[in-house]
Amino acid sequence: MFHLLRLLMLFIVILVMSGCATVITDGDLRSASQFKAFIPIDAMPSPTVEYTNTQGQTVTTAWSALSNDQRRGLLPNQTSTMTTYKLDTSGEAKYLTAGVTGKAGTYRVVMDYALYRSDSLVNASGNHLGSGRIGVGLRIKAQIQTYEAGIDLGSIIALGFAAKGNKVKGNLEVNCLGINSPEITAIFPSPSAINETSIQNALEALAAIKSKISDTNTSVTPQVIAIRIDDSEALEMTPFIVE
């Protein structure tokens, strides 16, 4: 499996079909196929959206041509997820289904809140491969080094307790995905080492930011924020796009 974050750093967004789709890298798709569920990825542009208008017509238009209220109206779903994975010595990621570590090592924990829609993930020939979550949201990402087995990775707060007991160390990263306003910028938390205080501050700030997603002065820019692969056998075919 490829190291997801290394590939994302090297990723160059390629727009095809006159800006109607976003290419997803082969490495991201292979990582998703190993997990058999949605995995969070670094947010990537989603240029257009297809929807049914009030006259019952199917319309494809640029997100930028819609108002913020219209964009929010096209994101009918909400989700909160926790994704954990272990990095081996080569930097490759192994996604975990259990919330407790089996042994000491380096782990990443990603907690997402998203307002989203699901669109088909297809290859260049139009064959369905899976789904992409297109939307906006909030993300907390923790990278930690554990010193013993049995660390609870199913809760960001639990990581704070583990850090207090000197069982883990690491850093915390907070992201707003496609939402912005002067008020949000003013309360956005600063990154720091993992401890009870930094985690509590991050959670409080994100709760305040979440409450502002529906404000009229909050700009929303839907992006590709997670992918899921249904047909891993088709991954030999490139490129891959979200339509």
Side-chain angles (χ1 to χ4, degrees):
M1 192 192 307
F2 293 89
H3 180 192
L4 178 62
L5 293 185
R6 182 191 307 156
L7 284 169
L8 287 171
M9 290 176 65
L10 297 174
F11 176 75
I12 298 176
V13 176
I14 305 170
L15 301 183
V16 298
M17 297 192 302
S18 301
C20 295
T22 298
V23 173
I24 308 296
T25 63
D26 176 79
D28 291 342
L29 291 167
R30 291 182 188 280
S31 295
S33 71
Q34 297 290 332
F35 189 47
K36 306 299 183 184
F38 276 101
I39 66 168
I41 63 173
D42 283 359
M44 299 186 299
S46 174
T48 64
V49 59
E50 182 178 282
Y51 65 97
T52 302
N53 65 17
T54 55
Q55 289 75 44
Q57 302 168 318
T58 300
V59 177
T60 299
T61 189
W63 283 108
S64 59
L66 303 174
S67 69
N68 281 316
D69 285 342
Q70 288 173 317
R71 296 173 198 172
R72 279 187 283 262
L74 292 173
L75 305 175
N77 306 316
Q78 297 185 63
T79 186
S80 293
T81 59
M82 288 282 291
T83 306
T84 60
Y85 52 103
K86 186 178 187 299
L87 299 179
D88 64 19
T89 54
S90 68
E92 293 183 346
K94 179 180 180 182
Y95 288 84
L96 307 177
T97 55
V100 177
T101 63
K103 58 182 179 180
T106 301
Y107 294 84
R108 285 200 180 102
V109 180
V110 181
M111 184 177 75
D112 268 4
Y113 165 76
L115 189 67
Y116 74 99
R117 60 186 287 121
S118 293
D119 286 330
S120 181
L121 189 68
V122 302
N123 61 22
S125 300
N127 299 316
H128 176 80
L129 298 178
S131 300
R133 281 181 177 161
I134 316 299
V136 300
L138 304 167
R139 176 174 293 167
I140 296 180
K141 185 187 300 181
Q143 178 161 321
I144 59 172
Q145 175 69 45
T146 65
Y147 298 110
E148 59 184 67
I151 302 299
D152 183 6
L153 300 180
S155 165
I156 291 290
I157 294 176
L159 291 180
F161 287 119
K164 184 178 181 180
N166 295 318
K167 298 178 180 179
V168 304
K169 70 174 182 178
N171 55 66
L172 202 66
E173 178 181 320
V174 180
N175 302 112
C176 284
L177 307 175
I179 54 177
N180 190 40
S181 74
E183 291 83 2
I184 289 174
T185 299
I187 61 177
F188 193 79
S190 300
S192 62
I194 290 177
N195 55 55
E196 286 184 285
T197 300
S198 66
I199 289 174
Q200 186 63 35
N201 290 342
L203 292 174
E204 290 177 358
L206 291 185
I209 292 171
K210 180 182 175 183
S211 69
K212 296 182 179 299
I213 293 178
S214 60
D215 286 358
T216 56
N217 63 339
T218 297
S219 174
V220 293
T221 306
Q223 301 170 70
V224 185
I225 57 178
I227 57 175
R228 184 190 69 203
I229 300 303
D230 298 328
D231 185 4
S232 59
E233 294 181 358
L235 293 181
E236 298 306 317
M237 305 171 62
T238 55
F240 308 95
I241 57 179
V242 174
E243 289 193 325

